[in-house]
Every structure is written in C-alpha cells, then in structure tokens.
C-alpha cells in the first residue's frame, strides 16, 4: 500500500499523525500541503474516497479561513466552488490528509487511523 501524507510541518496535529505512522512502521511519502497543495483533481478524488463532504476538508480553525469569511461563503457554496478554494490555498485545507488512492482520511483521530491504516 503506497500512502501519501499531505501535511504542514508546523501543525501539531500533523506531527501527532506523523509520529503515529512512524511508530506503526507505516511507509508514506510526505507532501508539504502549503508548498504543494493538492490539485482540483486530487481534491475531488480525496473527497470521493473519504466518505466526507467537501466542507469537511476546510481548516475551520485556521487564520486564513477566518480572514476570508469562509464560514459564510460555505453556507451557499457548491462542491465545485469549495474545491476551487481548497486548491487555491493549502492553508485552507484541513490536515493532515492521508490517502492510498482508494481510501482517504482527513485530520487525525488515532482511532480512525488505527481502523483505516493499521495493517
């Protein structure tokens, strides 16, 4: 299973997820989500393989989310618009994102990681 780990090194949640992956001996390729944000096509794939709506991919606690008043914008937004916004700025994306192309998790909850990624 080839995993890609989209993360931001200054993010405490990302570091907890990375530590868990390392302790479990799970191989992954890490991608800096701000320097190399996922494309619109990748985001569509993440949403489709996560069983979560596009709205759940926003970093609601982030400064950029508040600055852009995303809470209000998301109320009326369609999925295509949400994907455009997410692809435009890696700081808007909830992190980490971990995917093998068939399954995707967003954020870090140890129980979810154990259920989805433990081999």
């Amino acid at each position: 299973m080839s995993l890609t780990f989209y993360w931001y090194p200054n993010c405490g949640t990302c570091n907890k997820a990375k530590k868990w992956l390392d302790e479990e001996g799970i191989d992954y390729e890490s991608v800096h989500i701000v320097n190399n944000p996922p494309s619109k096509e990748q985001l569509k794939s993440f949403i489709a393989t996560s069983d979560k709506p596009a709205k759940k991919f926003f970093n609601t606690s982030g400064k950029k989310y508040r600055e852009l008043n995303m809470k209000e914008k998301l109320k009326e937004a369609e999925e295509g618009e949400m994907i455009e916004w997410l692809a435009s700025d890696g700081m808007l994306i909830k992190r980490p994102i971990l995917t093998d192309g068939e399954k995707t998790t967003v954020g870090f909850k140890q129980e979810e990681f154990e259920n989805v990624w433990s081999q």
Side-chain angles (χ1 to χ4, degrees):
M1 159 170 61
S2 176
L3 291 176
T4 306
F5 179 64
Y6 290 86
W7 75 312
Y8 182 59
N10 296 344
C11 167
T13 304
C14 292
N15 285 307
K16 286 179 194 167
K18 184 179 186 313
K19 182 177 184 228
W20 184 87
L21 290 167
D22 292 343
E23 286 175 353
E24 294 294 313
I26 296 173
D27 288 332
Y28 57 89
E29 176 193 344
S30 49
V31 177
H32 193 298
I33 201 164
V34 177
N35 294 345
N36 299 300
S39 69
K40 287 185 267 188
E41 291 71 32
Q42 288 171 308
L43 287 160
K44 285 178 192 171
S45 171
F46 298 163
I47 292 162
T49 57
S50 73
D51 296 327
K52 289 186 168 71
K55 197 177 278 191
K56 293 288 184 187
F57 280 77
F58 281 86
N59 177 13
T60 58
S61 60
K63 182 178 166 191
K64 192 70 124 180
Y65 181 89
R66 290 189 303 275
E67 282 175 3
L68 297 174
N69 197 23
M70 294 309 291
K71 185 176 182 179
E72 284 304 310
K73 290 180 180 176
L74 289 176
K75 287 179 184 174
E76 303 293 321
E78 305 214 353
E79 184 175 280
E81 283 179 288
M82 292 183 201
I83 291 169
E84 289 274 342
W85 292 328
L86 290 167
S88 73
D89 189 335
M91 290 303 280
L92 284 175
I93 303 172
K94 182 172 182 158
R95 51 193 185 254
I97 293 176
L98 188 60
T99 188
D100 64 2
E102 293 177 19
K103 300 180 300 279
T104 300
T105 55
V106 60
F108 175 67
K109 291 190 174 85
Q110 186 169 330
E111 185 178 316
E112 181 182 24
F113 266 46
E114 287 167 358
N115 291 338
V116 177
W117 304 118
S118 284
Q119 298 164 352

